Structure formats: C-alpha cells, structure tokens
Amino acid sequence: MTQLSDRVLNMATSATLAMAAKARELKAEGKDIIGLSLGEPDFNTPDFIKEAAIQAVNDNYNSYTPVDGYAELKDAIITKFKRDNNLNYKPSQIVVSTGAKQALANIAAVLLNKGDEVILPCPYWVSYSDIVKLNEGIPVEVKTSIDNDFKLTPQQLEAAITPKTKMIWYSSPCNPSGSVYSKAELRAIADVLQKHPNIIVVSDEIYEHINFIGGHESMAQFDDMFDRTVTVNGVSKAFAMTGWRIGYIGAPESIARACNKMQGQVTSGANCIAQRAVITALNESPDRVQYMIDEFKVRRELILSLLNDLEGFKTNVPEGAFYVFPDISHFFGSTLKGKHIENATDFSLFLLEHANVATVTGIAFGNPNCIRISYAASQDQIIEAIRRIKEAVS
C-alpha cells in the first residue's frame, strides 16, 4: 500500500464540501434533500460578465497568463480597491490567484515558519485552520460569543498574543456567522496591534458587498495598518462566480512578490477567460449586483423569523454574508427519534437523516455549539427546510 505523507493524513477534509458531497449522494439515491450547506449563491453569473467571457473566447485568449494576473485585471482591482475601500495599491502589490482560497494558501506558505502562531477568532472559515497547519503554523483559536455577535474584542486579542504570534486571520462579513466589523471595532483591534508591530493582519473580505448595514470597512484603510495588512478578496460571492475561480490580494510589496514567486512554482497564472470576464465585473459599479444583495436580505429576515419560532435555536442577527449560525446546544444530551445528540456534528447529521436538510456542524468553524445554515436558496426551499427541521426536533 502506498504510504501517504503525514501532511495529507493529518489534514481534515473540508466539512462544507464533505456535507455537500453527502447531500449529493443522498439525492442520487432519490432522497429529497434541501441543501443549505454550501456557501454558494443560487443566482446565475450576470449576463454582462458572461458576455465578456464569450468575447474573450472569440478574441482567442487561450495562452498562459502572467503569474500574478493580466495587467488590465490588476488595474481593475486597483480601481475597485480605490472606489469601494479607499485603498491605494500599486500593480506590484496585487496578485491574482485561482480563487481566494489559493490566495490564503499562498500567504500562509510565504509567511509561516514552523511554530509560528496565527490567531483565529472563532468562528472562522472552515479552511483557515488546516491551511495554517499545512504550513507548520499553529492556529490559536479565540472563542467569541453569540451574545457579542461572534466578534473578537480587543481584550481577547491582547490576551491571545504571544512572542510567537505571526498573524491574525479574520473575515468580515464573516463566514460562518455573518458578523460585520465596524470601523470603530477594527480601529480598536488596530490599537492593540500597534503594540505588536510584527504581527500581520489577513483581512478576508470576500463577502464585502453582501452587507446589510450600508457600508464595508477594511483594516488597511488605517494608515498605521496599511503596510501590515493583506486584503483578500475575489468575485465568487457577490458576482455569483464561484466556479470561475478568481481571487486576489492587495498586500505589502514584499508579501505580494513572495506570493507571486510561490504561485509561479505551484499553479502559475489563473484561467485566461475568467480573468477577462473579471475585468468587466470589477470595472462596473457594485450596483449591478444589488438585486442579489436585496434578495439575500429578504431571505435573512425570512429564515430568522422561522428559526425564532423553533424552541432550542438561539440566533442573533447577521449583518452580512448569507448564513445564520444558531446556537443549538439546547439539544445536547437529548435523544431525538432514537439518535443521541452530544454535539453540533450529531445534530447536523440528525437533520440530514431525519429532516433531509443539509447544514454544516459548527465544530468545523471552531464553534462546537452552533451549526451553519446557508440561506443561499429560494424562499420556498427555506420555508420547507425549516418546516422539516421543526417537525424533526418537535
């Protein structure tokens, strides 16, 4: 038998992808599964973006791309950062990757040495921890509370910092909680970091435009944080382009150069047709996709109203993204339809088996008391899913 590496043997499987695969398997068996597990908009890519891709095909874009992205795409990213975030990057500070996940993997690979610590406010996106571990770093999980909208406090950050702390990674709007950090909250975190000038911030802003409070704030907007913040973004969520696989960073030049070098030895440049389409996407006003955000907000109100009618589900109001992250610890220690519930994984699997609804255990996001429910589904599917859940747990 082939002896696999310790690296892959010690790596966890992505819980979101695993649940989606299980749901597909059950669907193939004929079961009527409602999938509320994947972080994927249920809209089609807008026509104006698809038309740009078709034009690129007709213009015979088919060659290898520059490792760090087409110059025109980097210019569009610079324009977007200035227009939407008031951030001023140069082309040498931009790297385009095959999705924001690759951008994060690049960052970890070029910055982490064995034993370096990365602070992860919990809950965090499912892949953060394993990307850090894969690069011999140590994830330091900092627990947050639903009563504080799952946000890291300055006091918690200060307590988590050690001489080995190399980075802090967070997302805002947050996957899985939907939490959005205000400018004042980011400034308070930045004030703590001023006492620790060697710590790099990785700000994952992939859900930037799916924001229900009227404004997005970036850590890099602060002059004293710009040169130590890596801003990660992409087009998967707001533009419904998950399969197009384009992400990008704005970073201090030394980090951008290192990511370019790393990517050149791993995958080289991202897909040529997708890059041409993203040029069009980013040069247009975000207002072109506002109809999706408006619908997500309607669905948020719908799912919260339905969940709040269920005994045992404790919710807060997410301010962005398209998830709710209810605390379901009320059910721990109980037996439902013959299945004993000890943790969020048990509860998530129970819902899949007895309600035919796919969710994701909060354990994968660093929170053992919650499950993630995506409302990137039609209103009819949401209503039916919560009806099934209510019936299963009653």
Side-chain angles (χ1 to χ4, degrees), residues 13-237:
T13 300
S14 168
T16 53
L17 298 181
M19 181 58 86
K22 181 66 175 174
R24 284 194 297 269
E25 181 183 309
L26 292 173
K27 279 185 178 181
E29 295 174 0
K31 293 193 175 181
D32 179 22
I33 303 295
I34 298 178
L36 302 182
S37 61
L38 268 185
E40 182 168 43
D42 60 323
F43 295 94
N44 293 321
T45 303
D47 287 343
F48 74 95
I49 299 174
K50 291 189 287 188
E51 289 163 4
I54 293 168
Q55 186 61 51
V57 172
N58 292 332
D59 289 342
N60 295 312
Y61 279 93
N62 50 32
S63 301
Y64 288 129
T65 60
V67 172
D68 55 350
Y70 283 127
E72 301 97 314
L73 177 51
K74 293 173 78 170
D75 287 342
I77 292 168
I78 289 168
T79 297
K80 172 262 175 297
F81 273 134
K82 178 61 178 176
R83 178 192 66 216
D84 300 342
N85 312 107
N86 198 29
L87 302 179
N88 294 297
Y89 288 108
K90 300 180 294 186
S92 57
Q93 295 177 286
I94 305 296
V95 179
V96 177
S97 299
T98 304
K101 184 181 283 190
Q102 185 186 20
L104 290 164
N106 285 344
I107 294 163
V110 306
L111 286 175
L112 288 177
N113 289 311
K114 188 173 183 177
D116 286 342
E117 294 178 352
V118 179
I119 294 173
L120 304 179
C122 300
Y124 50 76
W125 181 53
V126 64
S127 291
Y128 286 174
S129 182
D130 275 280
I131 289 173
V132 169
K133 292 177 185 176
L134 182 62
N135 290 279
E136 300 188 285
I138 300 172
V140 176
E141 298 184 355
V142 180
K143 306 299 181 184
T144 63
S145 167
I146 192 171
D147 298 318
N148 191 40
D149 290 326
F150 300 109
K151 293 181 182 180
L152 177 74
T153 67
Q155 295 77 18
Q156 288 178 306
L157 174 60
E158 185 72 78
I161 292 172
T162 76
K164 294 183 178 181
T165 304
K166 187 66 173 284
M167 288 186 279
I168 172 174
W169 287 22
Y170 73 94
S171 59
S172 179
C174 177
N175 176 2
S177 70
S179 302
V180 178
Y181 283 91
S182 68
K183 185 174 183 178
E185 289 165 337
L186 290 179
R187 183 64 256 178
I189 290 172
D191 288 342
V192 173
L193 294 172
Q194 290 309 302
K195 298 180 255 182
H196 307 275
N198 294 323
I199 297 176
I200 299 295
V201 176
V202 176
S203 177
D204 181 349
E205 304 181 13
I206 192 74
Y207 290 91
E208 167 191 7
H209 294 303
I210 307 176
N211 184 317
F212 310 127
I213 59 174
H216 172 79
E217 302 293 344
S218 298
M219 179 65 80
Q221 71 182 291
F222 304 121
D223 290 341
D224 54 4
M225 293 301 299
F226 181 79
D227 289 332
R228 49 191 295 206
T229 299
V230 182
T231 306
V232 180
N233 213 319
V235 294
S236 293
K237 310 302 181 179

